[in-house]
Amino acid sequence: MSVNEQAAPGRVGDVRRRNLSLVLDSIAKTGDSKPSRAQLAAGTGLTKAAVSSLVADLVYSGLVSEVGLYRDGERGRPGQGLELNTRRGVVGMEINVDYLAVGLVDLGGALRFTSAIESHNRGLAPDAVMARLSALAAEAAAAASKEGIDILGGGLAVPGLVDERHNLVISAPNLHWEQEFLDPGALLEGAPLGVRLSNEANSAALGELWYGGGGQADFLYVSGEVGVGGGVIIGSELFMGPGGSAGELGHVVVHPDGPPCSCGGAGCLETFAGQEAIFQAARIPEGSLSERMAGLVAALESKEPGACKAVHDAGRYLGVALASSARLMDLEAVVLGGHFAELGDWLKPAVLEGLNRHAPGLLQSDDLRVSGLKHSGTLLGAAGQVIRSVIESPFELILAGKLAT
């Protein structure tokens, strides 16, 4: 039976549903190796006949493509390699305080196109911000069309607590948004899987998990932007807590008598290690984000005392917050992203200093890693959540006619 026909009743349908996902996930996990049907059968424990039938459905649906010919051994016909179809893609999108960004990610996880603009979004109405982002999304759609890539859907990440089911931004203090409804689907009209709303730091953590290459199943991802966010990965799964706000590292108190924070509290890590806090402490002149970051890096490279102290202090306070987190959560590793990754060479020694002073022995130098994805992690994670939903439930999507053929 083909999955584009009526679903099989009861157990048979359930087995096929699971097996389609199993085969698709196995192809996804092999990366560049492009397994043959015989290799998939050996790896999954399914019969060769079953794998051939499942692969036929996945190829027909446009989720998998056949590439090349090679021999598994000296005898028999050459096998065809299989990969997630790079002619299918998802658009990752991000709203942050001072920029907007989009990226086109194919099903294999390659970032095929990216575009970003500086945009002062703090205090702007959501409709105005979404209108600006819509122009970038149109650029991604045009790039996909040029490369012959069908867009299945999108992911939108924002720096705040969100209710994904209702497309609601519950609270984004740095944007000054509270209880704001968005219409993410309008960014990619006609995309069969729609657009999924998520938290920026959580998306970046998932991007690191799936595309960062670290190979760790348990870690805390620290996102450095205007605010400071965190995403907790446990057993290769995102842990959000019952209210969806787990990982809010930026609002851990690191100085009881510190300055007020946008969250309404005081002395939060964000007030010492957020992007604007570092710029001000280093006395970097006003200007565009890229100009200010370039100025900070130049000052650090020339060992300007004020800049070095600003980054050192930010790293030390980050170390304090991580020390508390490590004791509370028994962390195995920490990954620094965003501007923390850009400043990694200067920041990491100070973070380790704070960790060693307040939590000696809990995290070693090798347990503190700088992300190689930098700012693209959020886009990859936002898109990757949609890609993973396809991998986990191809049967339902194909039956519903939501996948291009």
Side-chain angles (χ1 to χ4, degrees):
M1 167 187 140
S2 174
V3 294
N4 61 345
E5 299 171 5
Q6 192 67 30
R11 274 187 170 176
V12 175
D14 291 340
V15 169
R16 192 165 189 82
R17 181 179 291 108
R18 288 194 299 269
N19 287 345
L20 273 168
S21 179
L22 174 62
V23 170
L24 194 57
D25 186 51
S26 297
I27 294 171
K29 287 179 177 176
T30 56
D32 295 330
S33 66
K34 299 177 178 53
S36 67
R37 290 165 173 77
Q39 289 170 329
L40 285 173
T44 61
L46 300 173
T47 66
K48 291 182 181 179
V51 167
S52 292
S53 174
L54 294 165
V55 166
D57 286 330
L58 293 171
V59 170
Y60 178 81
S61 72
L63 292 177
V64 169
S65 56
E66 298 173 309
V67 289
L69 289 171
Y70 62 89
R71 293 186 181 276
D72 292 332
E74 293 183 1
R75 296 185 178 183
R77 293 183 300 174
Q80 283 187 303
L82 300 165
E83 66 177 5
L84 296 186
N85 192 351
T86 57
R87 296 296 181 182
R88 302 288 183 272
V90 174
V91 179
M93 295 169 280
E94 180 183 3
I95 295 172
N96 220 300
V97 179
D98 47 12
Y99 68 88
L100 301 170
V102 299
L104 174 64
V105 184
D106 68 32
L107 291 188
L111 188 61
R112 305 286 290 272
F113 169 85
T114 184
S115 180
I117 59 170
E118 294 194 8
S119 176
H120 300 291
N121 301 317
R122 192 195 303 270
L124 281 184
D127 286 348
V129 176
M130 292 288 280
R132 292 181 181 180
L133 184 59
S134 180
L136 285 183
E139 288 185 26
S145 178
K146 185 177 180 180
E147 293 197 42
I149 296 174
D150 291 327
I151 295 177
L152 297 180
L156 171 61
V158 299
L161 182 63
V162 304
D163 177 350
E164 177 191 334
R165 289 180 56 197
H166 299 98
N167 289 327
L168 174 67
V169 178
I170 298 170
S171 178
N174 286 317
L175 288 173
H176 297 173
W177 290 1
E178 299 289 331
Q179 300 294 318
E180 297 283 1
F181 286 97
L182 303 181
D183 182 12
L187 296 168
L188 293 173
E189 293 284 1
L193 303 186
V195 178
R196 179 174 180 171
L197 184 65
S198 63
N199 168 268
E200 167 263 327
N202 286 340
S203 290
L206 289 170
E208 187 66 33
L209 173 69
W210 294 325
Y211 307 113
Q216 292 161 318
D218 306 275
F219 62 90
L220 170 63
Y221 180 92
V222 185
S223 170
E225 301 291 347
V226 169
V228 176
V232 183
I233 301 295
I234 299 175
S236 296
E237 299 285 343
L238 178 67
F239 175 75
M240 298 176 61
S245 60
E248 286 290 338
L249 189 71
H251 300 293
V252 170
V253 176
V254 294
H255 193 312
D257 300 317
C261 180
S262 62
C263 72
C268 298
L269 172 64
E270 190 170 289
T271 64
F272 295 96
Q275 204 171 72
E276 189 60 34
I278 296 175
F279 287 153
Q280 289 186 7
R283 298 187 177 180
I284 301 299
E286 292 292 332
S288 68
L289 173 60
S290 57
E291 289 171 345
R292 300 186 85 187
M293 184 57 70
L296 176 59
V297 170
L300 291 168
E301 288 175 340
S302 62
K303 300 183 179 179
E304 199 278 321
C308 291
K309 183 178 187 304
V311 173
H312 180 274
D313 288 349
R316 184 165 54 87
Y317 279 115
L318 177 55
V320 172
L322 292 176
S324 299
S325 301
R327 289 192 183 279
L328 183 66
M329 300 174 57
D330 190 25
L331 295 175
E332 288 189 0
V334 173
V335 181
L336 304 179
H339 72 252
F340 292 145
E342 292 188 60
L343 302 175
D345 290 344
W346 301 277
L347 192 78
K348 185 175 177 179
V351 176
L352 289 171
E353 178 185 315
L355 276 167
N356 291 333
R357 179 177 180 185
H358 299 285
L362 283 188
L363 288 172
Q364 305 302 318
S365 177
D366 289 346
D367 300 325
L368 180 64
R369 185 165 60 83
V370 174
S371 174
L373 300 178
K374 295 185 180 178
H375 292 286
S376 66
T378 301
L379 298 176
L380 286 164
Q385 291 174 73
V386 180
I387 293 172
R388 288 304 307 176
S389 72
V390 172
I391 292 172
E392 291 166 4
S393 303
F395 190 91
E396 290 80 358
L397 296 174
I398 297 169
L399 280 175
K402 289 189 174 183
L403 296 176
T405 57

